[in-house]
């Protein structure tokens, strides 16, 4: 099996360790941009996936998220945001491009989304 690795000495792509590091890198980039990360979760069954919840009030950890980023190894990122009262609870948009987008690209999408 030919498994791709990054140039930063990460574990092989599609490994649990690699996904954990990738999600952590994205969370770090969002934190640098001023987003309060409420939680980071990884789902360790195929396809590997993860979820980052952005806190509604950056001063109150544990509140329900105002935005959620979900990632799956086979199709990349989607962004969900709470809709205004009276509408569907979440509105989802897919980040186009590579399934493994650069953390800065994910943060830019959240800023513009």
């Amino acid at each position: 099996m030919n498994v791709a690795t990054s140039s930063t000495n990460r574990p092989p792509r599609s490994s649990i360790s690699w996904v954990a590091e990738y999600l952590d890198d994205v969370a770090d980039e969002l934190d640098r941009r001023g987003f309060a990360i409420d939680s980071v979760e990884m789902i360790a069954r195929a396809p590997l996936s993860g979820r980052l919840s952005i806190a509604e009030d950056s001063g109150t950890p544990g509140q329900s998220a105002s935005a959620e980023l979900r990632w799956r190894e086979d199709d990349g990122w989607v962004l969900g945001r709470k809709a205004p009262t009276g509408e569907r609870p979440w509105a989802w948009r897919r980040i186009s491009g590579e399934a493994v987008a650069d953390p800065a690209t994910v943060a830019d999408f959240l800023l513009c989304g």
Side-chain angles (χ1 to χ4, degrees), residues 61-73:
Q63 282 194 358
S64 60
S66 61
E68 184 173 282
L69 285 161
R70 293 182 182 177
W71 177 82
R72 283 175 35 132
E73 67 178 325

Side-chain angles (χ1 to χ4, degrees), residues 69-84:
L69 285 161
R70 293 182 182 177
W71 177 82
R72 283 175 35 132
E73 67 178 325
D74 55 357
D75 58 5
W77 290 95
V78 293
L79 167 65
R81 289 195 179 271
K82 279 188 179 177

Side-chain angles (χ1 to χ4, degrees), residues 30-99:
L30 293 172
D31 187 54
R32 279 192 288 281
R33 304 274 187 111
F35 291 98
I37 307 301
D38 188 45
S39 65
V40 178
E41 299 174 50
M42 187 179 78
I43 296 88
R45 62 179 219 202
L48 295 174
S49 60
R51 177 177 23 231
L52 286 79
S53 295
I54 314 303
E56 187 169 339
D57 177 352
S58 59
T60 311
Q63 282 194 358
S64 60
S66 61
E68 184 173 282
L69 285 161
R70 293 182 182 177
W71 177 82
R72 283 175 35 132
E73 67 178 325
D74 55 357
D75 58 5
W77 290 95
V78 293
L79 167 65
R81 289 195 179 271
K82 279 188 179 177
T85 305
E87 295 181 22
R88 291 179 18 212
W90 288 92
W92 294 96
R93 291 184 43 219
R94 178 161 305 285
I95 299 175
S96 61
E98 295 182 39

